Amino acid sequence: MNPLQHPAVAYLRTMLAVRMDRLREEEEERSAGASAIEWAIITGLIAAITLAIAVTIRNAIEGAANNIQTQ
């Protein structure tokens, strides 16, 4: 009989395979969570940059409007 086909060895191989699958799933979940956090940070940075650009444009337009001579 092949020692790798012994019922005890087959059981241990099956248990190891199940544990490895669980570890892979946990790793995928953690990386998905990290990805979500990264997207939240990127979105926040884009929002901050957009707000800064909008304020700069508004100030430039108000400054130009205040320099217009009226009667």
Side-chain angles (χ1 to χ4, degrees):
M1 177 177 202
N2 185 352
L4 295 177
Q5 292 180 350
H6 189 275
V9 174
Y11 175 77
L12 289 174
R13 288 175 56 195
T14 303
M15 293 301 293
L16 180 61
V18 169
R19 182 63 183 143
M20 293 298 291
D21 286 341
R22 286 183 188 163
L23 288 173
R24 285 187 187 115
E25 288 175 3
E26 289 175 6
E27 183 177 325
E28 289 173 2
E29 289 174 6
R30 279 191 299 242
S31 66
S35 180
I37 292 170
E38 290 169 357
W39 277 110
I41 292 171
I42 291 169
T43 303
L45 289 173
I46 291 172
I49 291 169
T50 303
L51 182 62
I53 291 171
V55 168
T56 302
I57 291 172
R58 179 176 177 231
N59 289 341
I61 291 172
E62 284 181 352
N66 289 337
N67 288 335
I68 296 174
Q69 297 291 328
T70 58
Q71 292 181 352

